[in-house]
Amino acid sequence: MINRRNDSRGQTHMIETDRPAGGTPASASGIADRAAAVPPGNDLPQRKHPAHLPNVERHNQPVVLFVTVATKDRRSILASERVHSTLVSVWPQARQYHVGRYILMPDHMHLFCSPAAHEAENVKRWVAYWKRLASIALKDLQPLWQRECWDTQLRDVVHYGEKWEYVMRNPVRKELVVRPEEWPYQGCLNELRW
């Protein structure tokens, strides 16, 4: 039986046990039957669309989101000075969130953002707005964006640092540059403070 458990940091983990959530043991043959019904490599259901959960205020900590946006059909069109300067100019026009650090890869981008007001709109609507502004400025690249975006609220400054460390190494992992600081399509518009 697979049960959900929360750890001390609030993360949910799937744990396989021989007891259902109610507490009584499951039969060994029942576990084997369920295991045989699941194809190898597909132990858990895969999410097909992002959840876009509301921002969670936690004890006066800032809300910082990690957002990933991809191009339509994963076309390699973002890593250019023209697209870079366009995005840097449209993000401040989308006033619901402040963009902090960001990095543009050829076919996707990552950014960190924080609500500009206490009651900020859902991040999905904010992303849709600035994608529309960028699409107007970059008409010759249409269709430019995938429909959805992926967003995650970061837990704390350590989580933020880990995500940025991973993201800034993307160009090195893809062998586009030797050192992360050599990648020209990255920056920081606002300092997102913890």
Side-chain angles (χ1 to χ4, degrees), residues 8-21:
S8 62
R9 295 166 88 178
Q11 289 184 309
T12 301
H13 300 277
M14 302 297 212
I15 300 172
E16 188 168 341
T17 67
D18 61 348
R19 295 181 183 269

Side-chain angles (χ1 to χ4, degrees), residues 7-73:
D7 67 12
S8 62
R9 295 166 88 178
Q11 289 184 309
T12 301
H13 300 277
M14 302 297 212
I15 300 172
E16 188 168 341
T17 67
D18 61 348
R19 295 181 183 269
T24 58
S27 70
S29 64
I31 293 172
D33 292 343
R34 282 190 302 281
V38 177
N42 291 333
D43 299 337
L44 298 173
Q46 299 296 311
R47 185 181 302 263
K48 293 183 179 165
H49 299 286
H52 303 299
L53 299 172
N55 299 335
V56 177
E57 294 276 339
R58 281 180 266 163
H59 308 292
N60 246 1
Q61 285 187 336
V63 173
V64 177
L65 303 174
F66 174 62
V67 179
T68 300
V69 179
T71 60
K72 178 79 171 161
D73 301 324

Side-chain angles (χ1 to χ4, degrees), residues 104-140:
L104 307 181
M105 294 298 291
D107 63 351
H108 69 283
M109 60 174 293
H110 301 288
L111 64 83
F112 297 88
C113 63
S114 186
H118 183 67
E119 294 293 326
E121 68 184 354
N122 186 284
V123 73
K124 177 182 176 182
R125 292 181 61 199
W126 172 74
V127 169
Y129 179 67
W130 65 253
K131 284 195 308 189
R132 186 168 24 112
L133 293 177
S135 294
I136 291 167
L138 301 166
K139 289 179 185 169
D140 57 310

Side-chain angles (χ1 to χ4, degrees), residues 86-97:
T86 299
L87 289 170
V88 167
S89 71
V90 300
W91 284 328
Q93 295 174 46
R95 293 186 177 102
Q96 288 289 317
Y97 286 81

